[in-house]
Amino acid sequence: MTSPPPFAPGSTLADVGEFGLVGSFTTRFPQGDHVYVGPGDDAAVLRTPRGHVVVSTDVLVEGRHFRREWADARSIGRKAAAANLSDVNAMGGRAHSLTVGLAAPADLPAQWLSDLADGIAEEAGLVGASIVGGDLTTGSEVVVAVTVLGTCDQAPVLRSGARPGDVVALAGRQGWAAAGLAVLTRGFRSPRALVEAFQRPEPPYDAGAAAAVAGATAMIDVSDGLLADLAHVAEASGVALDVRRDAFALAEPMRAVGAALGVDPLRFVLGGGDDHAIAATFAADATLPDGFTVIGTVAEPGEPGPVVTVDGAAYDGPRGWTHFATSS
Amino acid sequence: MTSPPPFAPGSTLADVGEFGLVGSFTTRFPQGDHVYVGPGDDAAVLRTPRGHVVVSTDVLVEGRHFRREWADARSIGRKAAAANLSDVNAMGGRAHSLTVGLAAPADLPAQWLSDLADGIAEEAGLVGASIVGGDLTTGSEVVVAVTVLGTCDQAPVLRSGARPGDVVALAGRQGWAAAGLAVLTRGFRSPRALVEAFQRPEPPYDAGAAAAVAGATAMIDVSDGLLADLAHVAEASGVALDVRRDAFALAEPMRAVGAALGVDPLRFVLGGGDDHAIAATFAADATLPDGFTVIGTVAEPGEPGPVVTVDGAAYDGPRGWTHFATSS
């Protein structure tokens, strides 16, 4: 992955061309044993066990999901892969393959795209997944469309299985990326830990399968915002979820940012999404896998139906991203 | 698929919102029996037989791969799906599932996106494939990233298996879409048959699996241009291919356009790609499946190595698209 690039320094996408750049990718990405045909033919072909194929697609657009001045290409690639790998995680599955669709301006440095691809491959490598194919074309802005394929060793855990009496539990950092974004949008670069959390999320990749084995009744990837995503679970399961403020231990940098920006740092925790934490519900007597902390409870829905409350009351802060309602 | 749209006439993507629009898609796309979890959870889950999963991604960008003034949204959707389904076809596989990643301007009519999605589903329906998931976000231009998954009943047919002594054969229309594009770029709308061929390719979806069963030694989807794609086969197989001009029967509209534009219509055939014909090589004594016509032969590579010739000589016309070298 650190072999020298096969194109001259300063080359743009237009200089190197689609075929040249794709050719440089395909020779250096490691391919797992399950890859029967890797990049370079009309399609990739994967050997798969009988069972379930888990598949998910995410699209990231420059200026909306990332900014080139806020993170280097490798970090953006890692983040794009993480968003997808996390979706398979949230089904209780394990990712094995990714395809990468890219549109980019013709004058974009070829090295930037190469670094982006390396970042995707690097993040995929954390779970042993391979980049098996893709497509590259010109466009007026950078668009990264990643599709991930994976397997489930057991039945997938859906959003719809939460039952009254269950507990709500969370694995992974939560709110760090949102706090990092708040820092960046105000033109700051520190606390470094939070900025890095935004630039490169570290999803708890073992949590999903572990939760499935431990009998999780429902599960979701926290990507829109904790309360927003729990609302998807409440809706799909037909239940009410209540989250406790005191369940969240606020790390020092979160407190520091809250004080510096004059914001209750719990807002980042309850409304943040980019960490790709895993939220799951379990029977009250289940033994939670390592890494999960109970943050709330599941009840019968009252009026006005399936909702998410905080300490038993409606929450008036931001619950997460509402796509298209935001300008960033 | 023809149920009334769940949003008011004139609504834009921003009015309806990502969730609203995606919600309208997910309830109306038919899901095959193999779909265990369809759209709406973190990922789709597909029941699959033990064996091979075939996967391919294509990215289409507005202004480069399609223009809204040249085709309606449904046709653009059909074309986007066709490009992907054809890749599985060219491996000898059968597609069963698609994911659709979309970026689109916030002021784009919701109906346009809905029609696009219907077009994708319609084309997928031709081969019994389902749209099982996707992602929708805003961007400054329309980008459609489709990923297709399929199965192979037999070993996939790669680009690398052509052997000296084989014949080269072609299934499907070839050159019609390129002729239609030539018509459109000059501001004309007829001959209608050619314009429609560009707007909605009709790939020979049964040809790939039939060729695989008949023992095809190499196979490729003609998407970059016939000679350009045959060059991929020559390169991957380490052979020389020769194509015969007289193997192509030029249909009347092709002759008419050639005469009207003062262009040898064979240029559309040899350089055109958007029809998604299937080119395959077979042993000389193989019985070709219905729909295939012999267009050339395979030989040992001479100097300067693996090449494609026309009637034994280098060809000086356009061989196909060179991405990034074109302005359209």
Side-chain angles (χ1 to χ4, degrees):
Chain A
M1 309 264 284
T2 53
S3 55
F7 36 82
S11 302
T12 66
L13 177 51
D15 297 332
V16 176
E18 176 191 357
F19 287 118
L21 201 52
V22 169
S24 85
F25 297 159
T26 55
T27 51
R28 75 174 187 275
F29 292 146
Q31 300 292 312
D33 289 340
H34 69 292
V35 181
Y36 180 72
V37 178
D41 215 296
D42 291 289
V45 183
L46 315 171
R47 295 184 190 90
T48 54
R50 177 181 293 274
H52 295 136
V53 172
V54 184
V55 58
S56 180
T57 293
D58 271 304
V59 180
L60 277 73
V61 178
E62 177 171 12
R64 178 167 178 81
H65 299 95
F66 63 88
R67 295 192 177 184
R68 273 188 270 162
E69 67 269 28
W70 281 355
D72 60 23
R74 187 175 290 242
S75 296
I76 292 167
R78 292 194 63 150
K79 189 167 172 146
N84 268 271
L85 297 171
S86 181
D87 284 327
V88 172
N89 195 17
M91 302 302 281
R94 293 190 181 276
H96 55 66
S97 307
L98 286 88
T99 64
V100 181
L102 271 175
D107 63 356
L108 192 74
Q111 189 63 50
W112 193 94
L113 283 168
S114 182
D115 290 347
L116 178 86
D118 279 345
I120 294 173
E122 221 171 75
E123 189 76 15
L126 294 180
V127 299
S130 311
I131 298 182
V132 300
D135 193 16
L136 170 62
T137 185
T138 45
S140 62
E141 66 195 347
V142 181
V143 177
V144 187
V146 178
T147 299
V148 61
L149 282 73
T151 53
C152 271
D153 290 337
Q154 65 294 312
V157 182
L158 311 187
R159 298 176 178 184
S160 53
R163 298 162 307 189
D166 284 356
V167 296
V168 182
L170 190 71
R173 294 191 306 208
Q174 174 58 29
W176 286 48
L181 176 60
V183 165
L184 283 168
T185 53
R186 284 159 179 83
F188 301 115
R189 291 269 167 178
S190 68
R192 196 71 211 146
L194 300 183
V195 169
E196 285 178 359
F198 172 76
Q199 290 167 334
R200 285 197 189 183
E202 295 180 7
Y205 289 126
D206 291 325
V213 169
T217 52
M219 188 150 56
I220 194 166
D221 159 45
V222 180
S223 56
D224 290 324
L226 179 58
L227 296 184
D229 284 311
L230 289 179
H232 297 319
V233 172
E235 185 78 29
S237 299
V239 296
L241 305 184
D242 185 55
V243 170
R244 290 196 327 265
R245 274 188 179 84
D246 67 9
F248 301 98
L250 287 170
E252 198 285 325
M254 297 283 281
R255 294 178 190 276
V257 165
L261 303 181
V263 175
D264 177 1
L266 205 63
R267 293 201 160 209
F268 300 129
V269 174
L270 296 175
D274 276 323
D275 300 292
H276 297 294
I278 292 290
T281 56
F282 295 88
D285 60 357
T287 302
L288 265 53
D290 282 353
F292 278 92
T293 306
V294 172
I295 60 164
T297 51
V298 183
E300 295 282 358
E303 289 302 328
V307 290
V308 181
T309 50
V310 178
D311 289 333
Y315 177 69
D316 62 356
R319 302 167 71 89
W321 284 77
T322 301
H323 295 295
F324 301 108
T326 54
S327 59
S328 68
Chain B
M1 311 264 285
T2 53
S3 56
F7 36 82
S11 302
T12 66
L13 175 53
D15 297 332
V16 176
E18 175 191 357
F19 287 117
L21 201 52
V22 169
S24 85
F25 298 159
T26 55
T27 52
R28 76 174 187 277
F29 292 145
Q31 299 292 313
D33 289 340
H34 71 292
V35 181
Y36 180 72
V37 178
D41 215 295
D42 290 289
V45 184
L46 315 172
R47 294 184 191 90
T48 53
R50 177 182 293 274
H52 295 136
V53 171
V54 184
V55 59
S56 179
T57 293
D58 270 304
V59 180
L60 277 74
V61 178
E62 178 171 12
R64 177 168 177 83
H65 299 95
F66 62 88
R67 294 191 177 184
R68 274 188 269 161
E69 67 270 28
W70 282 354
D72 61 23
R74 186 174 291 242
S75 296
I76 293 167
R78 291 194 64 151
K79 189 168 172 147
N84 270 271
L85 297 170
S86 181
D87 284 327
V88 172
N89 194 19
M91 302 301 282
R94 294 191 181 277
H96 55 64
S97 307
L98 286 88
T99 64
V100 181
L102 271 175
D107 64 356
L108 192 74
Q111 188 63 51
W112 193 93
L113 282 168
S114 181
D115 290 346
L116 178 85
D118 279 346
I120 295 172
E122 223 170 74
E123 190 75 14
L126 295 180
V127 299
S130 311
I131 298 181
V132 299
D135 194 15
L136 170 61
T137 186
T138 46
S140 62
E141 65 194 349
V142 182
V143 177
V144 187
V146 179
T147 299
V148 61
L149 282 74
T151 52
C152 271
D153 290 337
Q154 66 293 312
V157 182
L158 312 188
R159 298 176 177 184
S160 52
R163 299 163 306 190
D166 285 355
V167 296
V168 182
L170 190 71
R173 295 191 306 208
Q174 174 58 27
W176 287 48
L181 177 59
V183 165
L184 283 168
T185 52
R186 285 159 177 84
F188 301 115
R189 291 271 168 176
S190 68
R192 197 70 210 145
L194 300 182
V195 169
E196 284 178 0
F198 173 75
Q199 291 168 333
R200 284 198 190 183
E202 294 180 9
Y205 288 125
D206 291 325
V213 168
T217 52
M219 188 150 54
I220 195 165
D221 158 45
V222 180
S223 56
D224 290 324
L226 179 58
L227 296 184
D229 284 311
L230 289 179
H232 296 319
V233 172
E235 186 77 30
S237 299
V239 296
L241 304 183
D242 184 56
V243 170
R244 292 196 325 266
R245 276 188 178 83
D246 67 8
F248 301 98
L250 286 171
E252 197 285 327
M254 297 282 281
R255 293 178 190 276
V257 165
L261 303 181
V263 175
D264 176 1
L266 204 63
R267 294 201 160 208
F268 300 130
V269 174
L270 296 175
D274 275 323
D275 300 291
H276 297 293
I278 292 291
T281 55
F282 296 89
D285 60 357
T287 302
L288 266 54
D290 283 352
F292 277 94
T293 305
V294 172
I295 60 165
T297 51
V298 182
E300 294 283 357
E303 288 302 325
V307 290
V308 180
T309 50
V310 177
D311 290 332
Y315 178 69
D316 62 357
R319 303 166 70 90
W321 284 77
T322 301
H323 296 294
F324 301 107
T326 56
S327 59
S328 69

